Amino acid sequence: MKKNTKRLLTLTVAAFAGMYAYNRFVDSNASRKNLLKTDNGHYYKWKEGNIFYSKIGNGAPILLIHDIDSRSSGEEWAKINKKLAKNYTVYTIDLLGCGRSDKPSIKYTNYMYVQIITSFVKNVIKEKANVAATNLSAAPVIMANNLDSSLFNKIILINPAPLKQMEQIPDRTSKFKQSIINMPVIGTFIYNKLMTPIKIDFIFRKKFFSRSQLITSKIEDTYYQAAHSNNSNGKYLYSSILSNYININMYHAIKNINTPINIIASADVKNNLDTINTYHSINSNFEITHISNSKLYPQIEIPEKITGMIRNIIK
C-alpha cells in the first residue's frame, strides 16, 4: 500500500512539474517575436488594472474596440487605424484581460466592460466619440450607450454576436468549467493547450477569415502572443467567456436606442443573416450593410473596404 502511494505521489509530482515546465515554455516562446509593441502607446489607470491604448491622427474622435477574446488586442485594427488617422483622432484600446493591458485574476463581466468603455470615453477622449466594435464587444457598447447616451455620436457594429448567444447565463456546468481553467497550474496548462499555434490557425481558417490565403504568420503570431502574455493570465477572461459571464440580454437596450447604429455584416459568417435580421426586427432604425469575401474580422481581411465604409458612416 505504501509503495503504491509513493508511486502515485511521484507520478503526481512529475505531472505537475511537467505542466509547470510546459507553461513556462509557452510564456517565453509566445513573446519571442515581440509583436505587441507598447512604444507608441499609453496606459489608462483603471480601478482593476492598467489599460493600454494608442492615439493617432487629428479630427473628430473614433474609438476602435476589438472583439472580447483572450487572443485579441488592438492589433485587430492595425490595418485600419492609420488610414482613419488621416481624417480623425483614432483611439485603439486593448480591453482589460487582452493584449498589452493588465490581466487580473477576476471575473470578467459585460458590466465591467461597460464601465471601462464609459470611463475611457469620459476620462481619456473627454468628448462625444464615434465607436466601432466587433462581435462580443458590441454588447457593452450598446449597454454603455443605454446607460449614457452622451457617449457616442455614431455606433458601428461589425458582426455583432447573436442575441440568443448573449442570453445564455452562467449555470453549474459553466461555473465548474471556469473553476477548472482558473486553477493555478492545471488550469493554465489546459488553457495553453487550447491556445496553441495550430489551434489559432484553425480558428482563423474556420471562423475569422473567409480566404485562408490572406492569413499571415504575423497576424497569427500576434494572436498567439496576446493569448499568452502576462503568464497566460488571459485564461481568466477565457474562463469568464466560457462560463457566460460576458453575456447580457440586450433586447430592451436595442429597442430603445436612439443613437445612430450601423451594422456591417459578413455574408460568410454562419447564420449571420438571421442574427442581423433579429437586431433589425427589434429596432428598424439600424442601418445594415452586407459584405462578402470575409468572415468575422473583415477589418483584417478586407481593410480597405471597411475603412471606406467607416469613413462614409461617420463623415
Side-chain angles (χ1 to χ4, degrees), residues 8 17 28 46 88 122 126 128 130 142 259 265 286 299:
L8 179 61
S28 60
W46 195 61
Y88 305 98
K122 289 188 172 182
K126 297 181 179 178
K128 204 169 186 178
N130 299 293
I142 289 173
T259 304
F286 283 23
Q299 61 270 44

Side-chain angles (χ1 to χ4, degrees), residues 28 41 60 66-67 71 73 80 83 100 113 168 174 182-183 196 211 233 237 253 262 290-291 295 297 302:
S28 60
H66 61 79
D67 192 7
R71 297 161 291 204
S73 69
I80 281 184
K83 294 181 177 68
R100 291 149 289 204
Y113 286 117
Q168 297 176 22
S174 64
N182 287 355
M183 291 175 68
T196 62
R211 292 168 293 172
N233 277 0
L237 170 57
N262 289 260
H290 295 280
I291 56 175
K295 282 191 177 178
Y297 298 151
I302 49 173

Side-chain angles (χ1 to χ4, degrees), residues 12-284:
T12 301
V13 171
F16 268 86
M19 286 187 285
Y20 178 80
Y22 177 77
N23 292 341
R24 296 297 296 168
F25 167 76
V26 169
D27 289 341
S28 60
N29 186 56
S31 59
R32 181 170 48 87
K33 295 183 180 179
N34 192 27
L35 295 171
L36 291 171
K37 305 289 186 183
T38 59
D39 302 347
N40 298 316
H42 314 272
Y43 281 93
Y44 170 54
K45 293 184 178 180
W46 195 61
K47 60 184 179 180
E48 294 288 358
N50 294 327
I51 297 172
F52 178 85
Y53 71 96
S54 64
K55 175 187 176 183
I56 56 175
N58 290 288
I62 177 169
L63 173 61
L64 303 178
I65 306 177
H66 61 79
D67 192 7
I68 299 176
D69 187 312
S70 61
R71 297 161 291 204
S72 292
S73 69
E75 292 301 305
E76 182 181 301
W77 299 96
K79 294 184 177 181
I80 281 184
N81 59 358
K82 290 184 178 63
K83 294 181 177 68
L84 289 174
K86 294 176 181 178
N87 306 100
Y88 305 98
T89 301
V90 182
Y91 294 85
T92 308
I93 192 173
D94 283 13
L95 293 171
L96 199 71
C98 302
R100 291 149 289 204
S101 292
D102 287 349
K103 301 180 178 183
S105 56
I106 59 174
K107 187 183 297 178
Y108 292 79
T109 66
N110 188 278
Y111 184 62
M112 184 197 77
Y113 286 117
V114 169
Q115 290 179 294
I116 288 173
I117 291 167
T118 301
S119 182
F120 188 84
V121 173
K122 289 188 172 182
N123 298 317
V124 178
I125 300 178
K126 297 181 179 178
E127 62 178 300
K128 204 169 186 178
N130 299 293
V131 62
T134 311
N135 195 35
L136 286 175
S137 64
V141 167
I142 289 173
M143 299 309 294
N145 184 87
N146 184 59
L147 292 174
D148 188 346
S149 60
S150 71
L151 295 174
F152 307 122
N153 286 310
K154 292 184 178 179
I155 297 172
I156 302 167
L157 306 179
I158 298 178
N159 295 319
L163 292 176
K164 284 195 174 295
Q165 173 187 327
M166 298 305 297
E167 289 177 351
Q168 297 176 22
I169 60 174
D171 56 23
R172 291 178 65 182
T173 301
S174 64
K175 289 178 181 178
F176 175 73
K177 291 177 182 178
Q178 182 185 40
S179 66
I180 294 297
I181 297 295
N182 287 355
M183 291 175 68
V185 177
I186 296 174
T188 305
F189 178 78
I190 294 170
Y191 172 78
N192 286 337
K193 281 295 188 180
L194 292 170
M195 299 292 168
T196 62
I198 290 174
K199 290 186 177 178
I200 287 176
D201 177 68
F202 175 79
I203 199 166
F204 261 90
R205 294 172 184 275
K206 184 175 179 64
K207 186 178 179 181
F208 294 170
F209 270 52
S210 177
R211 292 168 293 172
S212 59
Q213 67 270 24
L214 297 179
I215 301 171
T216 66
S217 59
K218 181 179 179 181
I219 189 63
E220 288 190 334
D221 289 344
T222 301
Y223 272 64
Y224 179 64
Q225 181 180 341
H228 299 290
S229 63
N230 199 348
N231 299 315
S232 295
N233 277 0
K235 72 174 189 174
Y236 296 109
L237 170 57
Y238 176 80
S239 71
S240 294
I241 296 171
L242 192 67
S243 54
N244 299 322
Y245 282 104
I246 296 297
N247 296 347
I248 192 167
N249 189 313
M250 296 188 290
Y251 282 87
H252 180 76
I254 291 172
K255 183 178 181 180
N256 293 295
I257 200 165
N258 292 316
T259 304
I261 290 190
N262 289 260
I263 295 180
I264 299 173
S266 297
D268 294 344
V269 172
K270 186 178 180 181
N271 300 323
N272 211 24
L273 182 61
D274 292 338
T275 296
I276 304 310
N277 283 343
T278 303
Y279 278 86
H280 194 259
S281 68
I282 299 169
N283 192 325
S284 59

